[in-house]
Structure formats: C-alpha cells, structure tokens
Amino acid sequence: MYIKMATLANGQADNASLSTSGLGSSPGSAGHMNGLSHSPGNPSTIPMKDHDAIKLFIGQIPRNLDEKDLKPLFEEFGKIYELTVLKDRFTGMHKGCAFLTYCERESALKAQSALHEQKTLPGMNRPIQVKPADSESRGDRKLFVGMLNKQQSEDDVRRLFEAFGNIEECTILRGPDGNSKGCAFVKYSSHAEAQAAINALHGSQTMPGASSSLVVKFADTDKERTMRRMQQMAGQMGMFNPMAIPFGAYGAYAQALMQQQAALMASVAQGGYLNPMAAFAAAQMQQMAALNMNGLAAAPMTPTSGGSTPPGITAPAVPSIPSPIGVNGFTGLPPQANGQPAAEAVFANGIHPYPAQSPTAADPLQQAYAGVQQYAAAYPAAYGQISQAFPQPPPMIPQQQREGPEGCNLFIYHLPQEFGDAELMQMFLPFGNVISSKVFVDRATNQSKCFGFVSFDNPASAQTAIQAMNGFQIGMKRLKVQLKRPKDANRPY
DNA sequence: TTCCATT
C-alpha cells in the first residue's frame, strides 16, 4: 500500500498522464508553463461540449476492453468529452456496453454512421452498436411559461430561468403583429433543470398586467410543431446566451481553479486513496503554474520554493490578487485581499445573477486561498510543516449538516470513490462559503456512493460552482454538479 | 447491450 503513497513528483506525473486536455503539469517545469503558455486563457483547456451534443450508447463491447482501450477507436471521429464503460455497481463487472459523448454533435453522427453495426469486435457475435442512448430521447426538458408580462423580452425570460440550468432555447410566443402573447417556451439541457425551474417558479409571482401567477410547466408535446414554427419566426434575432460566458473577465481565473482542482482530484483518483499531502502540494503547484500561465501573476517563476515574499502581482482584469497564492503558497500575506472591491466589481459585471452579494463571499480568489488554508488546517498533526505556513487558520471546522436556502444546495455526482466530506468541501471552497458538505456512504460497506451535497450560503456561489465544476473531468468521467432537487421534484403538473 | 444517485 505504501507504494501507492505517491510522492509529489509521482502524483504530478500521474496527473499529466491522466489528463486528456493538458491540465496536468509537473512540478519541475512550473517555470516554463508546461506547454500551456501558448494558450493563456484559451477556453480549449476547459473541456467543453456542444450544447446539442449527443450521448451515444455503445453496445457489444468485449468485456476485456476498458475506457482506455476504447478511446483510440472512437477518437478517430472527434474529441471525446466523456466515455464511461458500464459496470455493475456492486461487482464492478463490465457490462459490455458504454456511454460516449463527443464534444461535438457532428463527431457523434460520424461515429454512428461509420461504426454502428459495421463491424464485430473480437469475441462478440453481434456487431457493435453505436447509437444515441435511450436517455437522449426521453425526458421532457421543454417548458411552457404562461402569465408573463407582454412587455417581457426573451432576455427577461432568460434572466428569470437561467439560475436553474443551461437554457438551450427561449422563445416568446408572438402573434402575427409581433406582440407577445404573454407566454414562452424555455428549453433546458436536461429534464432535471427544467424540473427545478418548475419547482422554483411555478406560481411564484404575478407579473404586472397578468391575470394570475406565473405558469411554468412542461410544454405540451402535441404542440411541438407549432412551437417550432414560432421559434423559426423569432429565429434570426441573434440573442446571445449569458450562460455561454461563464466568468467574463474571470475566465482566466476560472481556469486557474480548474488546474488546482485537477491536481487535487487527479492525485486522489490516481492514487487509489487520498494522500492529503500529495494532493495539497499538487494543488499548490498547479495553482502556481495556472496563475502564471494566465498572465495574472507577473512575478517571475522560480522553480525552487524560496521563502521570500512574492512581488506584487498585476493583472489587467483583476487588479489585485492576494499574493500568497502566487509563488509558493506556503509563505506570504494573510488572505485579506486589498483588491476586493475591484474584484467584486468585475465579478458583479454580468456574472452574478444576484447582485446583492457580500464582497467576501464573491471573491473567488480569496475563497481559493481560504480553501487552501482549510486543506492545510484539516491535517495539522501530520503536516505541521505546512500548517505552520498559515499561522492563523480560520476556524472552519466542518459544521453540522445544514441546508442552505433555495438555490444554494448542490448535488454532486461522479465523485471519486476516495472523496469524503472534507475533500468535497475542499473542492468547493473556492466558490464561496461552504456551510455543509456531505458525501453519501453506503451503510453496509462504508463505501462512498460517489455522490454528495454541498451547501453554500448564497445562490451566486452555488451557480459559480456549477459553472466551474459541472462537467469537470476526472479520468474519463465527469462531475455532475447541479442544484439539489427540491424534495417535491417528482410531482407532475 | 442503457447510466442516474437528491442530506
């Protein structure tokens, strides 16, 4: 078992090999940015998929082939977003099939036409199946919205609905004269998002001029054709989707967070169990590289961890960054950032759905730093050397479970098996004040069920966390991070 | 040969 106790160097190497998108880096090469320097702020380092990407079902796979064997076969047709071989939940037995999502819809279509029933893999007696997963066709995700104010535009409706998920389409129904009929269709990426919107908004308010409270229900499928016509009519007014710009000026910082989280989780996932020291150190190194890579840190990088206070950091988008994150993370200033108001201003500019936000909770940089402190504070006895670096760790002992307000509670799925409450909290601290984190554990086996909940004290942090962490890649799987379903979520309308 | 789980 000690063999698995990865040294820092090994942990980092593992990260690099695990990553499909260049997120990994090695400690010795922090100074030259691990080949990522050519893409500062390049969104391609954050894996994304088309909003209309198709999840494919792959059937008739020999049971001796796992994700890494299948990857090359399917990569021919495009960049893979996620590939998951289905396994029995208890025995871990390969079920002979998989789910595959390409980043681009087009790749899925190509793969389907090239492979579906076109050949039989060794040992199989039926040809390979490559087709949209059953789940792709089922599940209502289109909402009918009634009792709107007739002055409300598509953008107004979007603003009302965007907190509950990714809006793929939003159309006001209009008469031939172009006047709103006071209703709209809103299509989310998933059924769950649509359901969340229903739960939160149906009957929640009465628009000025409307005769009764807001109606939010699943769209009548019979009328889909009508709807399509409507959408085409309103079609060419090119609206931009605010959700497509997750962080605005903070994009680069979002990336930095990704790097940090990548290191943390990859080292856990690869190591087979949690090695807090390696994870922590890896996160530090990743953060150094990431911040510098993105041009947020002007300080020249030195490969050794000198004890000097890092020089001031300048950045065009985020004027002032707490420097301790910069050069080695183990020494430096207390986390009271001097740039909070500026950072908040940037952050509030089109990013916060809830403008009335406390600056403290809204400053992700500060939160990131707090997260690091928390991580160090969690293991003070074993790693005194590190906890020393933070003379006064904030009293952030995980509180008892408590739910936050509506819109503040996240459901997280596909957690690494090794993640416990503390790791879950650590993962989400950079986005706000985590008031609780809970990984579900099987009572019988004491094993994580790989899902859990995180609660923030404000909805903006929750949304920021969703934007940053939903779809975050661990191995070939991705975290699912969404608002917790309200308990009456399954009630049909 | 169809994942998926909501303190």
Side-chain angles (χ1 to χ4, degrees), chain A residues 195-445:
Chain A
Q195 186 67 65
I198 289 174
N199 291 324
L201 294 177
H202 180 66
S204 66
Q205 53 195 297
T206 301
M207 297 301 173
S211 56
S212 70
S213 64
L214 192 64
V215 171
V216 183
K217 51 198 262 189
F218 287 115
D220 227 334
T221 46
D222 302 352
K223 294 176 182 169
E224 277 207 351
R225 255 172 262 129
T226 314
M227 197 188 73
R228 250 164 245 221
R229 248 177 266 134
M230 291 301 196
Q231 284 170 343
Q232 276 158 12
M233 276 175 55
Q236 61 270 53
M237 42 191 311
M239 297 165 300
F240 95 131
N241 178 357
M243 302 295 270
I245 311 167
F247 281 94
Y250 261 177
Y253 179 68
Q255 267 197 290
L257 281 178
M258 294 304 205
Q259 309 271 331
Q260 179 203 357
Q261 304 292 341
L264 172 64
M265 296 196 285
S267 67
V268 168
Q270 285 294 103
Y273 76 98
L274 181 66
N275 176 346
M277 179 60 197
F280 175 62
Q284 291 297 312
M285 301 304 282
Q286 286 296 94
Q287 206 165 42
M288 291 161 58
L291 282 170
N292 206 38
M293 172 193 86
N294 287 302
L296 288 174
M301 217 45 128
T302 51
T304 56
S305 57
S308 65
T309 302
I313 296 169
T314 59
V318 184
S320 203
I321 292 171
S323 49
I325 301 180
V327 169
N328 66 23
F330 295 94
T331 64
L333 309 169
Q336 288 83 27
N338 42 3
Q340 257 193 36
E344 168 65 8
V346 170
F347 201 62
N349 183 15
I351 298 158
H352 275 302
Y354 304 84
Q357 175 64 50
S358 93
T360 306
D363 184 349
L365 275 171
Q366 174 151 9
Q367 294 302 325
Y369 185 64
V372 169
Q373 284 186 308
Q374 158 69 18
Y375 208 85
Y379 305 95
Y383 307 107
Q385 205 185 341
I386 291 189
S387 59
Q388 230 179 22
F390 304 100
Q392 285 143 343
M396 287 187 73
I397 319 301
Q399 299 94 335
Q400 80 268 31
Q401 293 316 309
R402 75 193 155 98
E403 242 183 275
E406 176 86 15
C408 300
N409 307 298
L410 300 183
F411 170 71
I412 297 101
Y413 193 62
H414 282 325
L415 286 168
Q417 182 75 46
E418 295 77 16
F419 262 48
D421 297 353
E423 289 73 34
L424 183 60
M425 170 170 287
Q426 162 66 11
M427 182 162 48
F428 283 89
L429 271 169
F431 310 104
N433 293 324
V434 175
I435 62 176
S436 89
S437 66
K438 186 73 197 161
V439 172
F440 271 55
V441 169
D442 184 282
R443 252 203 306 246
T445 66

Side-chain angles (χ1 to χ4, degrees), chain A residues 25 38 47 50 65 83 96 107 110 118 134 144 217 259 269 286 289 307 316 320 402 483 486:
Chain A
S25 68
H38 297 301
D50 286 355
L65 299 187
L83 172 61
S107 308
K110 281 195 317 210
Q118 293 308 115
D134 287 349
F144 170 82
K217 51 198 262 189
Q259 309 271 331
Q286 286 296 94
S320 203
R402 75 193 155 98
L483 283 176

